Amino acid sequence: MLEKLNIDKIRLLENNRQYIATMRPVFNRRALFSDTTSEYLQPAEPDSFDRVTVRFRTAKNNVELVLLVRRGEKYVMNKTESDKHFDYYETTFQLEDTKETYYFEVQSGRLKGYYDTRGLVHEVNEYYSFVILPGYKTPDWAKGAVMYQIYVDRFCNGDRSNDVETNEYCYINAPVHRVEDWNRYPASMDVREFYGGDLQGVLDKMDYLQDLGVEAIYFNPLFVSPSNHKYDIQDYDYIDPHFGKIVDDSGDLLPEWQRENRFATKYINRVTNKANLEASNELFIKVVEEAHRRGMRVIMDGVFNHCGSFNKWMDRERIYENVPGYEKGAYVSADSPYRSYFDFKNQGWPYNASYDGWWGHDTLPKLNYEGSEELFEYVLRIAKKWVSPPFNADGWRLDVAADLGHSQAFNHHFWQEFRKAVKEANPEAIILAEHYGNTRDWLQGNEWDTVMNYDAFMEPVTWFLTGMEKHSDDFRRDMLGNADCFWGAMRHHSASFAMPGWQVAMNELSNHDHSRFLTRTNGRVGRTDSLGPQAAEQGVNKAVFREAVVMQMTWMGAPTIYYGDEAGLCGFTDPDSRRTYPWGHEDHEMIDFHKNIIRLRKENDELRTGSLKYVDADYNFLAYGRFHRRGQCLILVNNNDHEIEKQIFVWELGTPKHGVMRALLWTDANGFSNGQEFQVVGGRIRVTLPATCAVILKYYEE
């Protein structure tokens, strides 16, 4: 027995010696990193058949083998660079002319794991592989650009002579109304209410937009239309003179007893007279020129799924029927050149109302692309026209883009042709679409550039910070502060983007279709018709809103401010979210906050184009980094109603393990400031965060 114990002891000692001689430090999963930004994929936007170099980061001397896995084959990556804390592995391969996907396999001793867009995982899932789409390029000016959405009727009235007048015409069976009180809440039936905002008002406020730091203006629709929202376009070739310029204002208002718009002679003259239309187009040219002079771009809203019953192609309202220079509309005559633009169910001309309406609305005739090559070509001409001289707009936002035709196969075909037309006319124009749900099928590099980022920004941020649904229609306590749900949603939905599309995704907190974010902070479920508009302003939490803005301005993509959010504007969902900009009643502290954080975003390039990395999470707490070799920022969000203390690893963002993290911006319930410093000791900082606090920290060497 004694002899056996001695033998076992000798064997154990030998095994321990061999293990100690060959073992590496404990596997450091926090050090692992790769993405498809320019530091880890070169070139970052390759063409077909380019050779690309892919990089992967590990802790120094911590792994034995890194493999890149593509097309079922494994390729050994070579260690090509090391610094004090990290090793960098590379491999190079040649692309073909099709999508390329890959992930990494990492081996350290007996441990093996896989690394994809989720980070280190135990099982492979192709959905989360890194993606390269040869030839997929998005405009550099739009990558991380600060955008500003303007709903024109509610922004600024610079020219009262072009205001829609009460009883000028009828819209949806009732007369339109000119609102005299700029500060009045929107009516429940708001589409026929006009406050008078126009393009001259935008020109008058260019100094304000430039001082705020805006880099691109996104206009809700500007084309001739009878509604204030103008998503029922009447004439795609011209800017609405009510937004533009009226040089001939002859004609009469509708008598109070009259409901037929063919007798609305003032309106007919305003919107069909070529002198008014051309003058309005000239004013738009001036707006774009002035924006460009100030370093700002201009994005137009394209509503190509449907038009309006007022549209000159349909002419349900018989506005164009007797105006010289216009063809008969498809409603008016079976011989109309536009008859094929719509799907009519019977042959009941003249005045055939049997056309297909979008979601059954006869005020929104569905455009019939599959049945009309002429319509197809006309819209492509419109697409090119507005991004070409003399107009020179910088791109399109596409309304309900995935619903354009009668089949998804056709829709993909149309948007491929649309992209070719736009990019041929203006290679630097952006194409971004309104879309809910998975974006992957549409963002393959040959259709849209990107989307309004609901799934991978607006919704996760809203649920985490407020527990509210984006219309203020629901409150879920289980989602409030739920960091696991936040990161799960962000990882899942962001994986549907290739990097060129993610970097230009429109990251909004509010817009014209949803409640204002500041209103969501009060946790009130309801709408203006059930709670009243005043309730949208009650119990709001500006500190939570500032947390959201910090996240918006430090996340991957293009932060997009909905006009007035920066001035403290509130509102339940449409129509209450379409309140007028509060000139003379602005929240100047909030405006200053936006100016500061936009300036910081511009001054610290890592916040615009750097990598994004999860760092830490807890209930009501998030920590993530934006970083590249030249700069490293750590963003901390404490959404609790109490103070917390955290110890945070910062070295994994590429900072040295000793130095200082300085607050570029610090916001809490007391306002915002900067300058606080935290010592980096052993690659960590210890920080105490007050309630409802968000911080942007940047590393500096001592």
Side-chain angles (χ1 to χ4, degrees):
M1 185 68 178
L2 181 62
E3 182 178 357
K4 185 177 189 307
L5 286 174
N6 288 337
I7 293 171
D8 289 344
K9 185 175 182 180
I10 291 169
R11 286 176 176 169
L12 179 61
L13 290 172
E14 178 61 14
N15 288 340
N16 287 344
R17 187 193 67 77
Q18 291 181 6
Y19 178 76
I20 292 169
T22 59
M23 78 174 186
R24 293 179 178 274
V26 175
F27 183 47
N28 192 336
R29 61 185 298 156
R30 285 180 170 271
L32 305 180
F33 190 76
S34 187
D35 63 10
T36 50
T37 60
S38 60
E39 289 199 347
Y40 293 92
L41 174 66
Q42 299 172 350
E45 294 181 334
D47 290 316
S48 297
F49 307 110
D50 275 355
R51 291 191 66 80
V52 294
T53 298
V54 174
R55 290 165 59 86
F56 187 81
R57 190 191 78 179
T58 72
K60 188 163 185 167
N61 296 326
N62 190 238
V63 305
E64 295 169 356
L65 185 65
V66 179
L67 303 171
L68 182 140
V69 186
R70 57 183 282 262
R71 303 187 180 188
E73 300 290 334
K74 297 182 179 181
Y75 300 86
V76 176
M77 301 185 72
N78 298 313
K79 186 191 299 185
T80 58
E81 182 185 354
S82 295
D83 56 29
K84 288 184 179 180
H85 308 299
F86 300 109
D87 291 331
Y88 295 88
Y89 292 78
E90 287 186 4
T91 191
T92 301
F93 57 90
Q94 184 167 5
L95 298 174
E96 297 183 4
D97 60 351
T98 57
K99 178 172 74 171
E100 186 73 58
T101 63
Y102 61 91
Y103 60 91
F104 303 95
E105 182 179 313
V106 184
Q107 297 180 17
S108 180
R110 297 179 180 178
L111 297 175
K112 181 174 75 171
Y114 306 98
Y115 191 96
D116 57 22
T117 60
R118 297 169 292 178
L120 186 66
V121 293
H122 297 297
E123 295 182 356
V124 173
N125 185 327
E126 184 66 24
Y127 179 86
Y128 298 104
S129 292
F130 295 100
V131 175
I132 303 174
L133 296 169
Y136 184 14
K137 304 176 191 296
T138 55
D140 286 342
W141 66 262
K143 290 181 172 70
V146 177
M147 300 183 181
Y148 191 88
Q149 177 183 350
I150 296 180
Y151 191 94
V152 179
D153 183 62
R154 308 297 161 85
F155 183 63
C156 180
N157 189 345
D159 180 2
R160 295 189 64 83
S161 71
N162 64 9
D163 289 3
V164 172
E165 297 187 30
T166 299
N167 294 325
E168 185 177 324
Y169 57 98
C170 278
Y171 182 71
I172 312 182
N173 303 316
V176 296
H177 179 249
R178 173 176 171 173
V179 180
E180 299 294 342
D181 179 5
W182 180 259
N183 297 309
R184 198 200 77 180
Y185 293 122
S188 294
M189 181 57 177
D190 181 61
V191 293
R192 62 174 77 96
E193 305 272 315
F194 294 87
Y195 288 74
D198 49 35
L199 289 179
Q200 184 58 53
V202 176
L203 280 171
D204 292 346
K205 298 300 181 181
M206 280 289 188
D207 284 346
Y208 169 77
L209 296 175
Q210 185 177 16
D211 189 45
L212 188 63
V214 171
E215 295 172 285
I217 301 170
Y218 153 46
F219 285 112
N220 286 110
L222 299 173
F223 303 122
V224 181
S225 160
S227 64
N228 60 50
H229 57 67
K230 301 204 178 302
Y231 283 95
D232 48 355
I233 289 171
Q234 185 170 329
D235 189 339
Y236 291 90
D237 281 296
Y238 294 102
I239 302 298
D240 195 315
H242 298 94
F243 282 177
K245 198 167 185 65
I246 295 172
V247 295
D248 182 338
D249 206 14
S250 58
D252 298 315
L253 302 176
L254 268 180
E256 290 189 11
W257 51 267
Q258 181 59 262
R259 292 294 181 268
E260 291 189 57
N261 284 319
R262 62 195 177 102
F263 300 109
T265 56
K266 177 182 278 284
Y267 180 73
I268 291 173
N269 180 65
R270 281 182 161 190
V271 299
T272 69
N273 187 318
K274 291 297 175 65
N276 294 331
L277 297 171
E278 295 294 346
S280 298
N281 281 6
E282 288 295 324
L283 184 61
F284 177 74
I285 293 170
K286 184 178 178 182
V287 169
V288 176
E289 289 176 344
E290 184 61 21
H292 287 176
R293 187 180 72 80
R294 296 169 181 263
M296 291 183 277
R297 306 285 182 143
V298 173
I299 300 169
M300 304 186 79
D301 208 325
V303 188
F304 302 124
N305 167 285
H306 55 271
C307 62
S309 57
F310 282 61
N311 190 281
K312 65 183 180 183
W313 301 335
M314 175 61 75
D315 200 19
R316 171 74 177 260
E317 302 294 321
R318 301 172 64 186
I319 288 168
Y320 298 91
E321 184 176 10
N322 298 307
V323 177
Y326 290 91
E327 301 280 1
K328 299 298 184 192
Y331 169 81
V332 174
S333 171
D335 297 324
S336 169
Y338 311 122
R339 175 175 167 177
S340 66
Y341 289 21
F342 308 95
D343 183 12
F344 288 91
K345 305 304 181 184
N346 62 48
Q347 304 298 309
W349 280 277
Y351 313 127
N352 188 341
S354 70
Y355 55 85
D356 182 25
W358 187 53
W359 285 28
H361 297 292
D362 62 3
T363 57
L364 301 174
K366 186 81 173 69
L367 292 171
N368 184 34
Y369 291 91
E370 286 93 332
S372 178
E373 184 66 26
E374 293 82 6
L375 172 64
F376 193 112
E377 294 301 324
Y378 198 122
V379 172
L380 292 189
R381 182 182 67 78
I382 292 295
K384 291 188 287 188
K385 171 180 177 175
W386 291 99
V387 299
S388 302
F391 304 106
N392 294 317
D394 299 287
W396 290 99
R397 177 267 188 188
L398 306 172
D399 188 59
V400 290
D403 295 340
L404 183 94
H406 299 299
S407 73
Q408 292 300 286
F410 175 83
N411 292 344
H412 285 297
H413 169 65
F414 178 87
W415 293 124
Q416 288 165 16
E417 295 303 310
F418 184 94
R419 182 182 184 86
K420 291 176 186 175
V422 169
K423 298 293 185 175
E424 179 181 292
N426 183 349
E428 287 298 297
I430 192 169
I431 302 170
L432 60 92
E434 178 191 30
H435 185 69
Y436 298 86
N438 193 296
T439 63
R440 180 165 289 185
D441 289 347
W442 305 95
L443 300 182
Q444 293 297 306
N446 59 347
E447 298 181 44
W448 313 333
D449 282 324
T450 193
V451 295
M452 301 173 76
N453 197 6
Y454 291 115
D455 292 335
F457 186 76
M458 182 191 281
E459 293 202 29
V461 171
T462 295
W463 286 119
F464 177 80
L465 291 178
T466 71
M468 294 290 289
E469 187 269 340
K470 61 183 179 293
H471 288 282
S472 292
D473 282 343
D474 191 19
F475 171 77
R476 289 183 52 182
R477 186 165 297 280
D478 64 312
M479 295 293 286
L480 175 61
N482 191 327
D484 289 340
C485 284
F486 173 84
W487 281 111
M490 286 299 198
R491 287 180 177 126
H492 179 74
H493 295 300
S494 295
S496 67
F497 290 96
M499 188 59 70
W502 196 17
Q503 289 178 322
V504 298
M506 183 180 273
N507 290 342
E508 300 175 296
L509 296 172
S510 318
N511 64 29
H512 60 292
D513 286 329
H514 305 95
S515 60
R516 296 264 179 179
F517 191 95
L518 184 55
T519 287
R520 283 176 233 151
T521 67
N522 69 10
R524 295 288 299 274
V525 174
R527 300 196 176 198
T528 187
D529 56 356
S530 60
L531 298 177
Q534 294 87 352
E537 305 163 7
Q538 295 166 356
V540 298
N541 191 326
K542 294 180 182 179
V544 173
F545 178 52
R546 287 194 294 269
E547 289 179 291
V549 175
V550 168
M551 295 181 69
Q552 181 185 40
M553 294 293 168
T554 58
W555 204 258
M556 186 77 75
T560 303
I561 302 167
Y562 183 41
Y563 79 99
D565 265 12
E566 80 283 9
L569 204 57
C570 293
F572 288 117
T573 202
D574 164 31
D576 198 38
S577 59
R578 301 172 182 185
R579 299 182 184 187
T580 52
Y581 186 100
W583 301 112
H585 305 281
E586 306 95 323
D587 184 329
H588 289 286
E589 182 184 34
M590 195 68 78
I591 291 174
D592 288 344
F593 173 74
H594 278 80
K595 287 181 183 178
N596 271 272
I597 198 168
I598 291 171
R599 174 182 55 79
L600 291 173
R601 182 177 176 84
K602 293 179 179 180
E603 291 175 352
N604 298 276
D605 182 64
E606 62 269 32
L607 296 177
R608 186 180 181 115
T609 63
S611 296
L612 170 66
K613 189 180 189 301
Y614 166 96
V615 174
D616 198 4
D618 201 347
Y619 176 69
N620 261 323
F621 173 74
L622 301 172
Y624 58 93
R626 293 299 305 278
F627 63 100
H628 48 43
R629 292 289 191 95
R630 302 175 303 282
Q632 302 85 36
C633 282
L634 173 71
I635 296 88
L636 305 176
V637 179
N638 174 26
N639 194 47
N640 289 287
D641 59 3
H642 56 81
E643 178 184 283
I644 62 173
E645 184 176 325
K646 289 288 180 179
Q647 182 174 264
I648 306 294
F649 292 98
V650 297
W651 61 266
E652 59 192 275
L653 305 180
T655 70
K657 292 196 174 182
H658 297 277
V660 172
M661 297 289 286
R662 184 175 302 145
L664 300 179
L665 184 139
W666 178 292
T667 172
D668 56 33
N670 297 316
F672 67 97
S673 60
N674 59 26
Q676 296 96 319
E677 292 188 355
F678 302 89
Q679 290 294 317
V680 180
V681 179
R684 305 177 185 184
I685 63 168
R686 187 176 295 276
V687 57
T688 300
L689 300 171
T692 52
C693 173
V695 185
I696 306 173
L697 300 174
K698 185 180 176 76
Y699 177 83
Y700 292 90
E701 291 188 15
E702 290 185 294

